[in-house]
Amino acid sequence: MLEEQTKAIRRVDYTAPAFWIDTVDLTFDLDPSKTRVLNKMRVRRNPDVAAQALRLDGEELNLARVMVNGGGTSFKMDGNQLVLENLPEGNEAFDLEIFTTCNPSKNTQLSGLYVSNDSFFTQCEAEGFRRITYFLDRPDVMASYTVTLRADAQQYPVLLSNGNLLEQGSLDDGRHFAKWEDPHKKPCYLFALVAGKLVAREQRIVSRSGKEHLLQVFVRPGDLDKTEHAMNSLMASVAWDEARFGLPLDLERFMIVATSDFNMGAMENKGLNIFNTKYVLASPATATDTDFAGIESVVGHEYFHNWTGNRITCRDWFQLSLKEGLTVFRDQEFSQDMAGIESARAVKRIEDVRVLRTVQFPEDAGPMAHPVRPDAYEEINNFYTVTIYEKGAEVVRMMQTLVSAPGDEEGRQGFAKGMKLYFERHDGQAVTCDDFAQAIADANPQSSLANLLTQFKRWYSQAGTPRVHAQGVYNHSNLSYTLTLSQSCASTPDQSHKEPFVIPVKVGLLNQHGQALAGHDKTLVLSEASQSFVFENIESEPTPSLLRNFSAPVNLDCDLTDTQWLSILANDTDAFNRWEAGQRLAVQSALRFIRASKDPQSDSVLDEGYLDAMRTVLSNPELDSAFKELVLTLPSETYISEQLESVDPQIVHAVREAMRQQLATALQADWQTCYAQNRVLGAYSPDAISSGKRALANMALNMLCLAAQKEGSSVWPGKALQAFKDASNMTDRFGALTALVGSGHALAEPALAQFHALFKNEALVIDKWFALQASAPDRSGNTLPIVRQLMQHPDFNLRNPNRARSLIFSYCSANPGGFHRADAAGYVFWSERVIELDAFNPQVAARLARALDRWKKLAEPYRQAAKTAIERVAAKTDLSNDVREVVSRALAE
Ligand code: B3K
Ligand code: ZN
């Protein structure tokens, strides 16, 4: 943590490093309170850069010795940097040896080398390697690594690092060693080591080319029975990357290690991925369908980084989306391909878009808005955002769409060609987003992407979510339909003016009976402020189905009538737009109701047309259960709030709760049928069909408990309790518990107690137990006292990021009705926790700090109260860079 105000780092200031580090030979004497690190490097001057001093980054290190070519040398410290001025002249490589110590047991930030549950782990991205040794801690310095680990053999029987094991053996005093060599050059943020008492599930596989590989998933003894799904996901990932992109596993050994103390989901260290246990451990009894899906997608994501990120990495951190946007796109495609059937692909797409619109769109409209390739940052860890990841993935998806050709409608083949060229050009290099876009375009010279490349790249440079307005005019006399699309984009911090984007808009037309008008499906490319597109030979006025499959990350305005939306919902061939039509109708009802200041106690929000349509969806035998569950799920409070100019979170909460209640009551009979029809019996399998059925059955149970609550009946809560007890898997058990807690019925309390007793030794399940209580629908302000009380629970521990997220983040970020209190107590709680967390884990604290990003949109008294809370945090003088950057942006005019 720095006392002085830090300066922003700017993209335009990038310069190549003055030195290259070709090889790194590290020796660790692992000890929790004093680990000794000997770092021997081969260093040479970069001939392209004028001679200057070597400045090495370091943080919280004790420096013992520096030697050049085996002899002593002069050096000085400049802040955190070790500066070497008297180095050998000329372009010859020289040896640089640095000996330091550090204290892993005191490393509460979980960045660098740290201890968790008596084992050692590392996390180096983005700038953690400097907390292990002095180094050129920047991604464009790629070196070959050899690593020797020495530690007590009893306490740390397993010693792992990147690459291949060269040798291992015993040493004096009960210690032993292992020596690893990584055959691939890498930036230091991909370095990793692990030491501890671990056991592994192993699998040997043979790749298409006939090479043998060893896959290993390391966990704590006792957790081995929860690693099958992770291993299956890893094998599927290896096969998928080879089949879809021709990218094979380039290592003899690929390891995944799970730790319960981790700041994020997982980390793609070369050959030695380190994972949060949440994304490794699963058994039917302890993990839900959502957990199973999360593991598949994160295992895939980290594995796919092996090429997109590791083989080709980022020149500088401004290019983060080069690896993250592309790898998210790849994991999304992987999950879709794994889901198999068309309807399940659509479900995955809808889920991804829902995240984009409820989290990324608000980010793009708030104080932390930044382009997919940012121009400046104070703390890079604050830029691992939904914009870099999810919007970045949409940018890659648009590239695929824009290289489509006849016979390759989605653009998959064109995109795969582009990927091939990207690797031909840049394998082993640290490059920029421009290099990537250029390769995709060059491989598809006839494509719209190639024609509009410079303009397309505005997606990388301009922040903010574009708004597209669509207006259709039908001409009876010449049977033409003219669709006029216009675009605009609101200003964002530091960017007041925006140039037009290149926006692929997939469209289709429906006739008055809802049937598709054949031959009119196309991808319109909007590249000017306004453009008209004419459809000929249209017999009668059509209903346009626009932005199919969410072909671009934009807000779409189109003035369709409720009847037209209902027709799309009932008939469109595009599953995404069917779902979207239902969401539009629900949002419109909510907004009309809120704007008219109606009272949800006395008026109903949803009209009969909508309720009938929902009934029809529920009983439609041709629709999959997973899709029905998505259609019947109302837009979130956050999403509704984003559509309002000024937000009273309590009104939004009350209105949405009233909508839920209405859906529960009006469709009661349908929910009963649904519940009966969708219960899955027999052995658990996380496949798309059965998980979809469970999702719908659990939603039905939830709705039935809600309806019962209104009637004062205990029949369905009683059934829910029975379902909770009888459940043969966590999805159903937790679904039943959620239904009980959601209805506020008295049976919820004993069920919660029983759940805790059953799973008291399963940390990930106890996380769910905390999260459920913190995110339960607020009833007259009851959530905050519950959360405060839960903080006193013996199982609560703020230092464990998963636990902090399960209680604190669930309350502050996933429970708007409970958090935004008129008495400001939720905001006071938030400021206390941000400050408390910041003292030992700035990265996690800065995430929590973002919960009040949208304070300017709040109505009074919330707005002023939120501002006061942010000012309270900002007034602290010893804040980390991480939190300081977030709160000062939030308060900026
Ligand atoms: N690359 C890591 C994220 C590192 C975050 C550092 N604060 C995980 C991932 O995106 O795969
Ligand atoms: Zn990633």
Side-chain angles (χ1 to χ4, degrees):
M1 267 171 258
L2 293 182
E3 258 82 71
E4 76 259 33
Q5 203 80 1
T6 48
K7 279 207 307 284
I9 315 227
R10 292 182 194 286
R11 184 164 61 84
V12 292
D13 292 340
Y14 173 83
T15 53
F19 292 82
W20 297 113
I21 301 175
D22 293 324
T23 64
V24 184
D25 185 355
L26 293 165
T27 304
F28 288 83
D29 273 300
L30 293 166
D31 180 280
S33 58
K34 188 174 183 182
T35 286
R36 298 186 297 171
V37 183
L38 178 62
N39 171 8
K40 294 181 177 181
M41 297 167 267
R42 279 297 278 175
V43 183
R44 66 191 157 89
R45 292 181 187 272
N46 180 351
D48 302 334
V49 174
Q52 51 184 276
L54 173 58
R55 310 182 73 91
L56 299 172
D57 309 293
E59 206 178 285
E60 292 184 28
L61 299 173
N62 305 304
L63 178 60
R65 188 172 77 224
V66 185
M67 300 220 290
V68 172
N69 286 334
T73 184
S74 64
F75 61 87
K76 66 175 189 191
M77 299 303 301
D78 180 9
N80 272 336
Q81 289 187 325
L82 171 65
V83 185
L84 296 161
E85 281 167 334
N86 300 315
L87 292 170
E89 305 282 332
N91 291 337
E92 283 295 292
F94 56 90
D95 291 326
L96 174 60
E97 190 179 309
I98 298 178
F99 186 61
T100 51
T101 65
C102 58
N103 185 346
S105 67
K106 286 269 161 62
N107 184 355
T108 58
Q109 299 186 19
L110 311 182
S111 160
L113 176 65
Y114 65 93
V115 175
S116 156
N117 282 299
D118 301 322
S119 296
F120 289 94
F121 297 93
T122 53
Q123 171 55 37
C124 293
E125 188 177 0
E127 297 177 336
F129 194 69
R130 64 185 61 183
R131 296 167 58 78
I132 296 176
T133 183
Y134 283 98
F135 207 73
L136 287 172
D137 191 356
R138 44 187 291 169
D140 56 354
V141 172
M142 296 171 86
S144 299
Y145 284 69
T146 314
V147 178
T148 305
L149 303 174
R150 299 201 286 237
D152 185 277
Q154 291 280 317
Q155 289 189 56
Y156 311 103
V158 172
L159 302 174
L160 309 174
S161 191
N162 318 80
N164 299 317
L165 183 62
L166 288 186
E167 55 173 317
Q168 57 186 335
S170 10
L171 300 164
D172 297 339
D173 305 333
R175 292 173 79 78
H176 70 149
F177 78 96
K179 186 169 182 181
W180 294 81
E181 182 184 56
D182 190 341
H184 300 277
K185 285 197 155 212
K186 64 170 176 287
C188 65
Y189 80 85
L190 291 174
F191 165 82
L193 77 78
V194 171
K197 285 195 187 101
L198 299 164
V199 289
R201 173 186 290 268
E202 299 194 336
Q203 179 79 46
R204 283 181 198 282
I205 57 162
V206 179
S207 63
R208 284 190 167 192
S209 62
K211 283 216 179 88
E212 243 204 55
H213 310 267
L214 173 63
L215 309 181
Q216 293 173 305
V217 178
F218 287 89
V219 294
R220 287 215 296 268
D223 282 337
L224 215 45
D225 58 337
K226 299 199 188 76
T227 54
E228 186 185 354
H229 183 63
M231 181 59 89
N232 288 343
S233 303
L234 180 57
M235 288 194 288
S237 306
V238 176
W240 183 86
D241 217 9
E242 218 172 351
R244 174 98 179 244
F245 289 109
L247 298 171
L249 175 53
D250 61 359
L251 292 156
E252 289 163 33
R253 183 201 275 248
F254 190 91
M255 298 169 275
I256 287 179
V257 186
T259 170
S260 51
D261 290 289
F262 208 59
N263 281 346
M264 63 266 172
M267 177 65 211
E268 71 265 24
N269 317 301
K270 186 80 188 183
L272 180 55
N273 287 186
I274 298 183
F275 271 60
N276 188 321
T277 44
K278 181 173 167 58
Y279 293 107
V280 176
L281 303 181
S283 71
T286 58
T288 61
D289 292 330
T290 311
D291 297 325
F292 274 82
I295 290 169
E296 180 180 274
S297 117
V298 177
V299 167
H301 181 95
E302 306 311 331
Y303 177 75
F304 304 141
H305 267 315
N306 192 46
W307 283 92
T308 51
N310 300 5
R311 285 288 284 252
I312 303 183
T313 194
C314 304
R315 187 193 71 174
D316 54 72
W317 290 122
F318 297 102
Q319 318 298 328
L320 184 56
S321 199
L322 171 80
K323 73 177 178 80
E324 295 305 346
L326 176 54
T327 305
V328 170
F329 169 76
R330 276 153 53 70
D331 83 53
Q332 290 177 346
E333 291 288 286
F334 167 63
S335 293
Q336 283 198 19
D337 287 352
M338 291 296 287
I341 49 170
E342 204 47 45
S343 59
R345 302 182 68 91
V347 163
K348 169 68 178 150
R349 180 67 184 141
I350 291 166
E351 288 167 349
D352 291 340
V353 172
R354 206 160 55 169
V355 171
L356 185 83
R357 295 206 300 207
T358 49
V359 193
Q360 197 279 324
F361 281 19
E363 178 167 276
D364 238 349
M368 280 292 287
H370 54 277
V372 169
R373 175 159 59 186
D375 294 316
Y377 61 76
E378 281 178 42
E379 173 49 63
I380 184 56
N381 286 317
N382 284 333
F383 286 81
Y384 286 75
T385 59
V386 274
T387 298
I388 304 294
Y389 278 66
E390 270 69 25
K391 186 178 182 179
E394 294 302 318
V395 172
V396 175
R397 186 173 295 281
M398 286 190 287
M399 288 194 212
Q400 175 167 279
T401 303
L402 290 169
V403 298
S404 64
D408 177 26
E409 268 64 34
E410 272 190 65
R412 279 191 185 203
Q413 289 160 30
F415 186 76
K417 267 200 294 182
M419 287 281 280
K420 190 161 174 281
L421 184 58
Y422 175 57
F423 284 102
E424 277 165 18
R425 284 185 182 168
H426 301 296
D427 190 13
Q429 300 173 9
V431 306
T432 66
C433 299
D434 294 309
D435 297 318
F436 174 73
Q438 194 66 51
I440 306 296
D442 287 353
N444 297 277
Q446 309 302 327
S447 65
S448 326
L449 181 68
N451 290 330
L452 295 163
L453 184 62
T454 307
Q455 192 190 342
F456 179 82
K457 288 199 293 182
R458 287 178 190 156
W459 283 108
Y460 282 108
S461 58
Q462 297 188 141
T465 307
R467 191 161 275 282
V468 172
H469 183 83
Q471 180 86 49
V473 175
Y474 181 63
N475 185 328
H476 293 266
S477 52
N478 67 4
L479 302 185
S480 73
Y481 178 70
T482 304
L483 186 64
T484 302
L485 300 177
S486 32
Q487 59 166 306
S488 61
C489 182
S491 64
T492 50
D494 305 326
Q495 283 184 346
S496 49
H497 175 75
K498 315 274 178 179
E499 298 289 338
F501 291 85
V502 176
I503 302 175
V505 182
K506 287 192 182 171
V507 301
L509 301 178
L510 274 56
N511 72 13
Q512 277 147 338
H513 310 289
Q515 289 154 337
L517 290 180
H520 293 288
D521 292 0
K522 47 183 101 174
T523 302
L524 308 175
V525 181
L526 172 65
S527 59
E528 291 163 32
S530 182
Q531 265 167 283
S532 292
F533 303 89
V534 182
F535 297 78
E536 309 279 4
N537 300 320
I538 310 293
E539 299 290 328
S540 61
E541 175 151 16
T543 291
S545 165
L546 302 169
L547 205 68
R548 280 181 162 173
N549 209 31
F550 206 66
S551 57
V554 300
N555 277 307
L556 176 68
D557 294 329
C558 53
D559 304 322
L560 302 189
T561 61
D562 282 6
T563 315
Q564 286 178 305
W565 286 121
L566 287 168
S567 173
I568 293 175
L569 170 61
N571 305 300
D572 201 357
T573 50
D574 185 69
F576 178 86
N577 269 3
R578 292 183 77 169
W579 170 78
E580 171 68 352
Q583 297 289 298
R584 292 260 175 175
L585 288 162
V587 170
Q588 282 171 12
S589 301
L591 296 183
R592 278 198 285 258
F593 194 90
I594 292 168
R595 290 189 177 126
S597 303
K598 290 202 206 162
D599 178 6
Q601 302 296 334
S602 45
D603 290 301
S604 39
V605 191
L606 299 168
D607 58 32
E608 277 310 315
Y610 177 83
L611 293 170
D612 275 343
M614 290 301 124
R615 250 179 230 119
T616 310
V617 168
L618 268 191
S619 58
N620 185 342
E622 280 164 24
L623 295 175
D624 278 346
S625 304
F627 181 73
K628 292 182 185 181
E629 195 266 344
L630 288 175
V631 173
L632 271 291
T633 300
L634 292 165
S636 66
E637 288 171 35
T638 312
Y639 188 70
I640 297 170
S641 299
E642 282 299 316
Q643 320 307 315
L644 289 161
E645 300 71 40
S646 166
V647 181
D648 183 323
Q650 291 304 328
I651 291 179
V652 174
H653 177 64
V655 169
R656 188 175 182 276
E657 282 303 291
M659 292 161 88
R660 276 201 329 129
Q661 189 69 60
Q662 229 188 313
L663 267 182
T665 314
L667 275 62
Q668 211 166 348
D670 311 85
W671 290 123
Q672 290 193 22
T673 316
C674 223
Y675 185 64
Q677 286 175 350
N678 284 278
R679 299 189 71 181
V680 187
L681 304 170
Y684 174 85
S685 145
D687 67 90
I689 299 289
S690 39
S691 66
K693 285 187 156 198
R694 279 188 290 269
L696 188 57
N698 283 318
M699 176 179 213
L701 188 57
N702 206 304
M703 286 295 175
L704 289 162
C705 287
L706 206 57
Q709 176 211 350
K710 189 155 185 211
E711 293 164 358
S713 154
S714 284
V715 175
W716 278 96
K719 290 190 188 189
L721 184 64
Q722 201 54 46
F724 166 80
K725 290 183 176 159
D726 295 346
S728 61
N729 61 70
M730 180 52 78
T731 308
D732 287 337
R733 196 183 304 273
F734 197 64
L737 183 63
T738 306
L740 277 173
V741 172
S743 72
H745 194 275
L747 290 174
E749 214 164 296
L752 276 168
Q754 196 183 340
F755 188 81
H756 184 275
L758 272 173
F759 297 104
K760 57 179 181 299
N761 297 321
E762 300 284 352
L764 294 169
V765 183
I766 297 302
D767 287 338
K768 293 183 199 303
W769 182 80
F770 278 107
L772 176 61
Q773 298 176 77
S775 56
D778 192 71
R779 294 202 161 71
S780 359
N782 67 338
T783 317
L784 181 58
I786 292 175
V787 170
R788 282 202 182 270
Q789 205 184 339
L790 285 171
M791 279 191 71
Q792 305 305 318
H793 192 282
D795 289 346
F796 184 71
N797 171 14
L798 193 65
R799 291 186 178 243
N800 174 256
N802 284 357
R803 205 44 61 84
R805 281 186 280 261
S806 71
L807 184 61
I808 314 295
F809 287 55
S810 295
Y811 172 64
C812 297
S813 303
N815 193 345
F819 177 58
H820 297 277
R821 297 165 57 111
D823 67 1
Y827 305 154
V828 171
F829 176 81
W830 166 87
S831 63
E832 289 167 358
R833 301 292 80 75
V834 170
I835 292 168
E836 194 179 353
L837 276 163
D838 196 36
F840 58 85
N841 192 332
Q843 280 187 47
V844 173
R847 291 272 153 174
L848 181 62
R850 304 247 353 238
L852 276 179
D853 265 11
R854 299 295 275 144
W855 69 273
K856 284 187 183 166
K857 224 180 189 313
L858 296 171
E860 296 300 355
Y862 307 96
R863 191 177 193 274
Q864 184 55 47
K867 186 177 185 210
T868 307
I870 304 170
E871 284 169 343
R872 190 177 308 125
V873 175
K876 291 275 293 174
T877 51
D878 55 351
L879 287 177
S880 64
N881 288 341
D882 310 56
V883 170
R884 168 143 335 275
E885 181 172 33
V886 172
V887 293
S888 49
R889 279 191 187 234
L891 293 173
E893 284 312 311

